Amino acid sequence: MARYSKKAGDKVERAMHEMHEGKLKSGRSGKKVTNPKQAIAIGLSEARESGAKVPRKAASKKAASPKKAATSKKAAAKKAAPKKAAAKKAAPKKAAAKKAAPRKSAAKKATSSTAAKRRAGAKGGRATARKKAAAKKTPAKRQMQHAMG
């Protein structure tokens, strides 16, 4: 026995023909339909509305049983946890990238150092401690840069 009626086939055929001509429009947005699967879906939907014999649509995911919904929430929570950890790990890399930034001119350094002091004040004592440690390591480089101008 046939799954689809002749009327349903005609509707789909008409929708496909319109799509190829560029005249088939989406119902919600009104945009031109270019995907053949979407054209078939539109034809079947019109056939359902007119009462033709067409199989039911697949059940939506929202109508899932409560047990499945609870397990999916747990799975989502497990998936979300590693992302947070990855975000925390990425933060120190950004700080390292700032330290390895190329050299700037003296004028830019003055403005960037004041901005860095403001940021350090907002973050707390850790940033200033790191800067002091970095300053102790490279006094010779700073003197050379200052002399070169």
Side-chain angles (χ1 to χ4, degrees):
M1 194 164 147
R3 285 188 174 191
Y4 296 91
S5 66
K6 175 93 169 90
K7 191 174 183 181
D10 291 341
K11 292 274 188 183
V12 171
E13 184 179 355
R14 185 201 55 75
M16 289 293 285
H17 185 71
E18 281 185 20
M19 182 203 68
H20 286 296
E21 287 182 346
K23 294 180 180 175
L24 185 63
K25 306 281 182 172
S26 173
R28 183 174 283 185
S29 65
K31 292 183 179 178
K32 190 189 325 181
V33 173
T34 57
N35 188 347
K37 287 184 179 181
Q38 191 176 357
I40 293 167
I42 290 169
L44 290 176
S45 177
E46 289 173 3
R48 271 190 203 96
E49 287 175 8
S50 65
K53 181 187 169 195
V54 182
R56 290 181 182 174
K57 289 183 183 181
S60 66
K61 292 181 180 180
K62 289 181 181 178
S65 67
K67 287 183 180 179
K68 288 182 182 177
T71 55
S72 65
K73 285 181 184 176
K74 288 180 183 176
K78 286 181 182 179
K79 287 179 184 176
K83 288 179 184 175
K84 289 179 184 175
K88 288 180 182 176
K89 289 178 184 176
K93 290 179 185 176
K94 289 179 183 176
K98 287 180 183 175
K99 289 179 184 176
R103 294 178 182 151
K104 299 177 184 177
S105 67
K108 286 184 180 178
K109 270 191 178 183
T111 57
S112 64
S113 64
T114 54
K117 287 178 186 176
R118 286 185 202 140
R119 274 188 252 123
K123 287 182 182 177
R126 263 196 261 162
T128 55
R130 282 189 212 141
K131 286 180 183 174
K132 287 179 182 176
K136 288 179 183 176
K137 289 179 184 177
T138 58
K141 284 185 182 178
R142 286 192 179 178
Q143 287 176 353
M144 288 176 61
Q145 287 175 354
H146 185 67
M148 295 177 114

